[in-house]
Amino acid sequence: MLLMIVMSNTAFHLWTARHGPTGWHPVDGSTLDRIVQFAMIVGLDGRSYPVFAFLFGYGMMRLFQRQVAAGATPRAATVLLHRRSLWLLLLGFGHAALLLAGDIIGFYAVIGLFLGWLFLRRGTRTLLVAVAVSVLLRLLVTAPALWALVSGDLAAAGTPVAEPTTVLYAAGEENPLAAAGTRLTTWATVTGYGLVGWMLATEPLLGFWAARRGVLEDPAAHRRLLRWTALLGVTVGWLGGLPLALAHVGLVDVPPEALGTDGALSSLAQLTGLAGGLGYVALFGLLAAGLRGGAVGRTGRATDGPAGRVTGPVVRAVAAVGKRSLSCYLAHSLLFSPVLAAWGLGLGARLGSATMAAFAFGVWLLTVAGAGLLERFGRRGPAEALLRRHREAEEADDVELQNVLNKLVKEFEPATIVDPRKELVCRKAVARTGAEE
């Protein structure tokens, strides 16, 4: 997943390239550059972030379930996740201020606040209804572009991008302070969109649903679902991105409006990105089952196939990245921005789409090696350790408060209470009074 994200973040570091009406990929370069651009538009753009969003929702629900299984009330587990989202929001602010305007941590922190409050404790039927509503809202938002596509008048919807995304991401800004200001402005816009974007958050809601069914923990029990999702999802995702890719490389002549952010072809690519992202998640699930020599159940034991196939060094290193995904995501920016941006070493001015992709792959390999090293010594990633430290501190504060309330109950409890129901009422009243004091 992180390889897909780091690859999709390459375009806005090409700050000297000439950009077209999409404002994203360059419209110049060698034949190899054009091939890379084509492949990214078909297979990555708008398809990698749905993978992240789904796994974000999946992880939220699994954390919620673990907290409840450990004895926390559903309300307390939800509050814990709200606190975690607030810490992620702060972390995203720092990430944007120092390195990357395209930070997605802050956006999903806001999404997590809304979805955690509204849906973590809801039933499965409510989740599926919310998924259906979010899909309908997506269709309504893209309706003008889709109508332009159906009617054949591709110029009827969309506006060509006035400036390349490299400007919004401050990749070409030489002044570090000015670059930080631009990055924070872009970050605030993207993160603020989460205040309404949660209503379109189909992927995290599907992640909630899948986590309750244990789809990724036990892929053997859901092999049919995973296979069909992978087949249909990847097919729809790639076909949906194909017209935009063909137009970008000049094999199809379309009006510039169709290539704008809200244009017909761009909207089609974004809308089908949901299916493509879910297809990739399903492929990852099937691949994980195959690497384990079969499915792995909730107990962690292989249910079939040869044992030990998961113990290869490459597989262990990639699995180590998954355990430290937040730290690796931040490490990508640390290795990208200061090297590529104009306010740093400015290497982005000398690279094309193909060489930038090669650079991104090398950065990903470095993070894989680093995660594998941390795994070998039994260390968490820095970001994960920071979040866990704050979570443990908050849990300790909650335990201490509960101990104080219990002590107050014992100290001020009336001596003669016969009716257990009256005793319970009295305990609650005394605890409430003690908390107020």
Side-chain angles (χ1 to χ4, degrees):
M1 178 194 74
L2 288 177
L3 176 59
M4 297 172 64
I5 290 179
V6 73
M7 285 290 185
S8 65
N9 283 342
T10 58
F12 52 74
H13 288 292
L14 298 170
W15 46 275
T16 59
R18 184 169 60 89
H19 291 73
T22 65
W24 190 248
H25 288 285
V27 292
D28 54 11
S30 66
T31 301
L32 183 58
D33 289 329
R34 306 297 272 170
I35 292 174
V36 169
Q37 294 161 15
F38 183 92
M40 285 189 173
I41 294 173
V42 171
L44 283 181
D45 293 353
R47 283 123 185 85
S48 57
Y49 287 103
V51 175
F52 180 91
F54 176 90
L55 295 178
F56 175 80
Y58 198 100
M60 277 189 67
M61 180 58 75
R62 292 295 294 130
L63 180 56
F64 174 81
Q65 291 174 323
R66 286 197 296 268
Q67 290 295 315
V68 172
T73 65
R75 179 180 177 83
T78 304
V79 170
L80 175 65
L81 282 167
H82 284 173
R83 292 173 179 171
R84 182 175 180 267
S85 294
L86 291 175
W87 280 112
L88 286 174
L89 184 63
L90 183 61
L91 188 61
F93 174 85
H95 184 212
L98 297 174
L99 296 170
L100 185 68
D103 167 79
I104 58 174
I105 299 174
F107 173 77
Y108 282 108
V110 175
I111 293 290
L113 286 171
F114 282 97
L115 297 186
W117 174 49
L118 290 172
F119 296 110
L120 272 177
R121 291 176 284 170
R122 303 296 181 186
T124 300
R125 180 177 297 180
T126 302
L127 280 181
L128 294 178
V129 170
V131 168
V133 170
S134 68
V135 171
L136 288 176
L137 288 175
R138 286 186 177 212
L139 292 173
L140 287 175
V141 169
T142 57
L146 295 179
W147 175 250
L149 188 66
V150 172
S151 65
D153 185 8
L154 298 182
T159 304
V161 176
E163 57 185 7
T165 52
T166 56
V167 175
L168 299 176
Y169 288 81
E173 176 59 62
E174 295 182 358
N175 187 317
L177 293 179
T182 301
R183 288 197 302 269
L184 285 176
T185 301
T186 301
W187 177 83
T189 303
V190 173
T191 302
Y193 174 69
L195 296 174
V196 294
W198 64 269
M199 293 184 287
L200 307 176
T202 310
E203 300 94 333
L205 290 172
L206 285 172
F208 283 5
W209 173 83
R212 286 185 176 176
R213 294 174 61 113
V215 172
L216 298 182
E217 281 86 2
D218 191 3
H222 306 89
R223 194 179 297 274
R224 181 181 177 86
L225 172 65
L226 292 174
R227 283 175 174 169
W228 277 107
T229 302
L231 176 63
L232 295 178
V234 173
T235 301
V236 170
W238 285 8
L239 289 177
L242 184 60
L244 181 62
L246 291 172
H248 176 80
V249 298
L251 295 179
V252 175
D253 187 22
V254 298
E257 291 82 0
L259 304 179
T261 304
D262 52 349
L265 299 188
S266 293
S267 296
L268 175 65
Q270 288 295 324
L271 191 62
T272 55
L274 169 62
L278 295 177
Y280 287 150
V281 171
L283 277 178
F284 296 155
L286 292 171
L287 178 62
L291 289 173
R292 291 170 178 143
V296 175
R298 293 181 183 273
T299 62
R301 295 182 178 179
T303 56
D304 58 82
R309 289 178 60 185
V310 75
T311 61
V314 175
V315 176
R316 288 202 305 269
V318 174
V321 171
K323 295 179 182 178
R324 299 159 182 85
S325 55
L326 182 57
S327 294
C328 290
Y329 171 71
L330 296 174
H332 292 160
S333 298
L334 188 61
L335 295 171
F336 252 66
S337 298
V339 175
L340 299 173
W343 53 266
L345 297 180
L347 183 61
R350 300 178 178 86
L351 299 179
S353 296
T355 50
M356 182 67 78
F359 178 84
F361 185 73
V363 166
W364 177 76
L365 286 179
L366 283 176
T367 59
V368 170
L373 196 61
L374 289 174
E375 179 74 10
R376 182 176 181 181
F377 290 98
R379 303 292 297 274
R380 295 187 179 91
E384 288 77 15
L386 179 64
L387 287 177
R388 185 177 181 87
R389 188 177 302 118
H390 285 295
R391 190 181 77 186
E392 290 175 347
E394 290 167 352
E395 290 175 342
D397 289 342
D398 291 341
V399 170
E400 183 178 355
L401 177 60
Q402 187 62 50
N403 290 337
V404 170
L405 293 178
N406 290 339
K407 183 177 180 181
L408 287 169
V409 169
K410 291 179 180 179
E411 184 174 349
F412 295 104
E413 184 178 26
T416 55
I417 297 180
V418 178
D419 191 343
R421 291 173 298 180
K422 292 182 179 180
E423 180 179 358
L424 179 61
V425 172
C426 182
R427 283 178 177 271
K428 291 182 178 180
V430 172
R432 186 165 54 250
T433 303
E436 292 173 355
E437 292 176 357

